Amino acid sequence: MSPAVASAKLTLSYPLYASDFDPQNDNFLLVGGGGGEGRTGVGNKITLINSSRKHTISEVVDIDLSRDEDSVTSLAIASSTASSVTAFAGINSSQADQSAGKNDHLRSFRLEYPPPKRTDAEESKDVGAQAYRGQTAALGRASLFTPSTAPKKETYQRVTRLSKPCKINGGQLGAIATGLAPKGEIVLFDAKTNGPMGPWVEARIPLGQGVEAADVDIIGLNDNEGSPPGNFAVAYCTDYEVHAFSMALKQNSTPEPRLSYGEPHPDVFAGKARPKFRSLRFITPHLLLLLQNRPNRQGADLLLLELSSSFQGKIVGRKSLHRGINAATALSVTHLTSSPPSESNQLVAAVAGQDTSIEIVTIEHPSSPPYRSLKCKTHTLLRSVHPQQITSLSFSISSPPSATKLSAPPQYIKLASTSIASTVVVHTFPLFPIPPAQKSAKRRYVLTPPGRSDAATMGLSILFSALAIALGAFFLQAFTEIRGGSPDYLGAKGWLSQRVHDYIAIPYILENGTSIAPSTAAISTLSETASQSASSIADQVTNTLSDLTSSVSNTAAAAGEEILYDTPEEAKAAVSSALDAASSAASELNAASEAYSATASSSITPLSSSAASRASAASHHVRDLLSRHYEYRQHQPPDSHDVHHMVIHDDEESGKLKAGFHRPGAGEGGDEAKVRRFEELSQREKELWKQRLREAGVWAVDEGEAVLKGVFFGSVAGAVGEAVRGAMG
């Protein structure tokens, strides 16, 4: 289970649409939004928030924007120092200016940070947010999109994305994309300037009629990618396609986007709806993370797209998000890098759903292609983060500690989310160190320790569940075989000693009190009768065969003698007599054989039926007496002395139960001293008598001991009696 996540919440005075952390200092967060043009009482603002504490966040300074213009629709921090931060924002001009063909949608601002608190006393007084009145300045504004020719001007700056500054020459590439434009467009510009002034547009990417970019991302190409400093890889997605290309600052040439991946059209009979791409982020220059919504709000998925050197892509991984997320609304990622880079790295992705939940996913990936060992795991699911729809997500930048010693401070990453309900929430996630392979190397910090992917974990769970079910079925079958409740498939009866087997193998009792297993006496009687019948039939067959042999021998001897007959008629008569004798002997043999077969096949069933009927009759007699005795006692007053007692005793000669009624003093003499009430018996004697009654089919466990109360029992015969005497003495 994931550890508890610390969170802090703040409610502002206006709806929020965009947010971004300072890439150099995660103690400061920038958010923006507003009520738009002409909405009384709800202003348009950009607010700097102090997020240095885990459980509380506070406002530092606001930039009040004109209420005659649109609200902040997108936001990105370009650069920061220890004392200030510079940001770009998408803000449309007033409707009147747009109708006149002027829309300065790209703005830049600078905000000064408050001085750091130095003492605990200052910290406890919380003077930072109360006394600070920092300087804010609007650096400039510009219109970079191609002017719209539509009668109604609705184009706005939907996406604002900036690359990390290059470490060598400090170059930085920016990208903005249109929203609600008749013809979509992406504009790439040099973000390393004092403001949007002058000819700074690097390239324009027209998207065509009715096509817009859902998201754009940029990543720098370093020397390891075979590119000089200042080169970048750019990717963008529309509803159904992903395009990528590379470009360099100041190249003065139009880039040629390549179609990296297209969502295939569905089958003719499957419907027309296709999944739509919502967002994308670079993991490495050759690996993209795509966020895709399924048709008809049936869920969302994360896709991993591997890019070749020519930006041809193929899907190498897919993860389905939580079933509660019917549609995703925002995506943010942060790279948990190590210095120097290790062979395996972890990326943390956050996905916001329309149900105001946020799913945190970790992706373990190699540093370079091929990407064959990707592991996607859900870290946690944050439910009901905001009261209304989430509009933006922003991760802080993770920077590994510079010290290699084991006393490095705890590491964290922060996730900010905003909503149209004017709320901003910051979650703080602790990172865990992984010891380095070499002592000189720095420790690597991760959110989730590397392990099996969700698919592998699910497969192992299914395997162990199947093994548990198979073992349970095996032991259940063995137990029922030992108890005699199923055919002997496993041979489990031979696994136990005779003593243990006799203790476990208790016959099953039916509702009428009879046992499934036949008694030993019935089996012995049946076996003896069947043996006698088989012996009698065998003797009959033997006698018949002897007679037949004798008759044939006499006929053969008579035929061998030299007897002369006076006429042919006498000879024919002698031969005919011999043939008649042989035919009669053969008929007797067939009759004996058929009699044997019929007797052998039917001897068991009639005998067992007869034995069962006799046993059933005796059982019903005793059971009927018990029932009559119970009803008789129910109708007698408690103090009545005219009570007929029922006595059950075990006949030692026949091995059967006998029962009867008598009145006290009615000629029983000394026999009364040999019997005792059921209540007067010891617990051991009670159990033995109940077992004897169950075996005889007289009493069932579910009838209870109430029917046995008041019944007199004599001595227990056979082994039961010996057990009683052994226990008592």
Side-chain angles (χ1 to χ4, degrees), residues 85-88 107-111 136-141 193-197:
V85 60
T86 302
F88 289 96
R107 316 289 178 93
S108 64
F109 302 91
R110 178 178 290 122
L111 297 87
T136 62
L139 300 181
R141 59 176 62 193
T193 60
N194 293 330
M197 298 177 292

Side-chain angles (χ1 to χ4, degrees), residues 144-164:
L144 301 185
F145 291 143
T146 302
S148 173
T149 58
K152 187 176 182 180
K153 314 298 181 181
E154 296 179 331
T155 303
Y156 70 98
Q157 187 173 310
R158 179 179 184 178
V159 179
T160 302
R161 191 80 61 223
L162 302 175
S163 70
K164 293 182 180 179

Side-chain angles (χ1 to χ4, degrees), residues 253-276:
S253 62
T254 302
E256 298 181 0
R258 302 285 185 88
L259 176 61
S260 300
Y261 180 78
E263 185 63 34
H265 288 273
D267 187 77
V268 177
F269 303 100
K272 298 181 179 180
R274 287 189 289 170
K276 291 185 178 181

